[in-house]
Amino acid sequence: MPISSDLLVQSLRLEKWICEKALPLWSTRGINSDNGSVFERLDAQDNPDLSAAQRTRVQARQIFVFSAAQERGWIKDAMPLVLGIDNFIKQYAKASDDQPGYVHLLSNQGKVLDSKKDAYDYAFFILATIYKYRAFKDLNALHEVNNLLRFIESDFKHSSAGWSEGDYDAIYRRQNPHMHLFEAFLTCYEFTRDGKWLAKAGQIFSLFENVFFDQENGVLFEYFNQDWSTPDDEKAQVVEPGHMFEWVWLLRWYEELTGTPVNHYCHALFSKATDIGIDRSSGLIFDEVSGDGKPLTTTKRCWPLTEFIKASLAQAKANPMKRDQYEKHAADGITRLFNYYLHKKVTGYPQVNSLSSNSAQDYFSNTHFSSDVDELTGSYVDRLDSNNMVCDPTAPASTLYHIMMAAIVASDYANWRGAL
C-alpha cells in the first residue's frame, strides 16, 4: 500500500518550509554578523533580541541544524555559518585550555555568566560536532568528539550508573540529559560505526529499562535522587509526554541498530502519552502531567508535537499492520504544527485529504499550495497557554532543532516508503 497522500503532502510542506523559510531566516537574522554567534531568540517581528544571554547549547543546536541542512542539500553552503558559530564558542566559551567543551552561559557581549559544565549541554556539543564531521568531512571534529566523550567519562561518570548533571551539585538527577546523550551516541555510531558509541548507548538503554521507565504504569519519570531512587516530593510524579514520544523514536532507532526488541516499551509509551498527554480539544500536547494524567502545567510548547510526529513515523515503520493509523497521526501532527506554531501570516490551508499519492507531488508544486508556505516567515511560536493562545511571542532559536529533526525524520520516512 502506498504512503498516505496526506502524510506525503504534509512532509513535503514541512521540508519546503525548512528549506525556503526557516533556514534563510535563521541563517541571516538569526546570526550576529559581528561575531558569528547565534542570537538566542527572535522577537515577534522576527528581529533578534539583542539583550538576551546566550546558552552555549543553543549555539551547538544551530551547528547541528546548519550541518544537517548541508548534508541533505537543504542549504547551499553552510560552512561559513558553522565556522562562525564554532569560532565564537571557541573564543568566548571554551571551558579551559586543557578541557574539551564549553561553559554554560554567556552574556550578549560574550562575557561568561555561568561557567558550569553541564551534561545536557555536552550532549549537544557531541551531536553538533559529529554532524560537523559528517557534513564537512572534518577530521578535527572527529578528534574533538572523541575528546568530548573522554571528558564526560572522566568528569561526569557517576558511581550509581549514568552520568551526573555536570561539574556542579544538583538536587535531582534527570533522565533528560541521558536521553539526549542517547541520541548523540546513536548518531556517533551511525556516522562512524565505532562500537564504543553503541556500547555507551547500551548503558543508557539499561537505565531506561531499570530506572526511567515505570513498568507498572507505562510512563517515563523525569526526576530522581542521586542514587536513582524516587524523590520524596512533588517532582516524583512529573511526566513529560513529549519525552515519552521522543523515547519511542529513539528506542526504534536503537532497535534498528542492535536488534534489541523494544515493542513493549514503544507501544506502552506511545499509548500512555497519547492517553494522558494530549489536550482533546486541540490535539496539542501538555508540557507536564502527572502519572495519572492530571495536567501539572497547562501550557503546550511546540517541541512535544515534533516528538509526536517522529514517534508516529517510527511506529509506522515498525508496525506495518497499523501503518495507516500511525501515518495519519504523523500527518495530523504536521498539520497542527503549522496551524498552531508555524502560522505567522498564514491565511488558510488547502484541503489535501482527497489526494492520491500519485498526484501529491503535482499538487505540492501548484500555486495554491506554494503560496501557503510562501506566506510564512520561517519563524514560529514556541509556547501556548491553556486556551491555546500565544503566551510568549518570541521564537527561541533552540526550538529549530526540534522542527528540523521532525522534518528530517519525515523526509527519511517518505524516502523509505519509496515516495520521493
Side-chain angles (χ1 to χ4, degrees), residues 28-249:
T28 53
R29 292 195 185 189
I31 299 292
N32 186 338
S33 60
D34 292 338
N35 57 26
S37 70
V38 173
F39 287 115
E40 180 74 13
R41 57 179 173 258
L42 302 182
D43 65 18
Q45 287 73 46
D46 296 346
N47 295 313
D49 183 346
L50 302 179
S51 66
Q54 295 176 292
R55 293 172 292 169
T56 55
R57 72 165 170 264
V58 175
Q59 308 294 318
R61 284 187 175 194
Q62 296 300 71
I63 288 176
F64 153 76
V65 166
F66 295 131
S67 297
Q70 174 75 31
E71 200 252 341
R72 302 181 75 84
W74 289 358
I75 196 170
K76 287 185 178 179
D77 184 11
M79 184 173 284
L81 292 167
V82 170
L83 286 178
I85 302 168
D86 197 47
N87 289 336
F88 169 77
I89 57 177
K90 282 181 166 62
Q91 179 177 354
Y92 293 100
K94 197 74 177 68
S96 70
D97 291 337
D98 60 348
Q99 291 180 333
Y102 309 96
V103 299
H104 179 65
L105 187 68
L106 301 173
S107 73
N108 62 325
Q109 301 296 319
K111 179 182 177 181
V112 175
L113 296 179
D114 189 339
S115 62
K116 72 182 178 186
K117 302 178 189 69
D118 185 82
Y120 187 99
D121 295 347
Y122 271 72
F124 285 100
F125 300 155
I126 292 172
L127 183 70
T129 305
I130 199 63
Y131 260 93
K132 188 169 57 169
Y133 161 72
R134 172 79 163 197
F136 305 106
K137 310 298 187 290
D138 184 349
L139 294 180
N140 287 328
L142 185 60
H143 176 70
E144 182 181 351
V145 82
N146 284 312
N147 284 339
L148 287 166
L149 176 62
R150 279 191 286 269
F151 176 76
I152 65 170
E153 286 287 271
S154 64
D155 284 50
F156 295 169
K157 201 74 179 77
H158 203 281
S159 59
S160 59
W163 290 263
S164 64
E165 293 292 302
D167 69 343
Y168 56 94
D169 293 331
I171 299 174
Y172 304 103
R173 299 183 74 184
R174 297 174 297 157
Q175 74 79 25
N176 196 17
H178 292 81
M179 180 185 70
H180 284 295
L181 283 170
F182 193 48
E183 175 188 9
F185 294 160
L186 292 177
T187 306
C188 287
Y189 176 70
E190 192 161 273
F191 289 176
T192 69
R193 294 295 161 171
D194 185 335
K196 72 185 177 191
W197 297 107
L198 205 55
K200 293 301 162 190
Q203 293 176 18
I204 297 177
F205 177 69
S206 179
L207 268 176
F208 166 83
E209 286 192 298
N210 295 297
V211 178
F212 304 151
F213 182 67
D214 182 334
Q215 300 270 359
E216 181 178 352
N217 298 299
V219 297
L220 182 85
F221 287 118
E222 297 287 333
Y223 297 95
F224 304 89
N225 294 322
Q226 292 301 315
D227 61 357
W228 291 121
S229 61
T230 302
D232 188 22
D233 59 24
E234 69 279 358
K235 290 289 189 182
Q237 288 300 310
V238 173
V239 171
E240 296 193 25
H243 285 159
M244 293 173 68
F245 289 125
E246 195 163 2
W247 268 102
V248 172
W249 170 65

Side-chain angles (χ1 to χ4, degrees), residues 357-375:
S357 59
N358 291 333
S359 63
Q361 287 274 18
D362 293 338
Y363 184 82
F364 178 76
S365 301
N366 77 18
T367 303
H368 184 193
F369 190 80
S370 295
S371 66
D372 176 47
V373 174
D374 289 343
E375 291 171 359

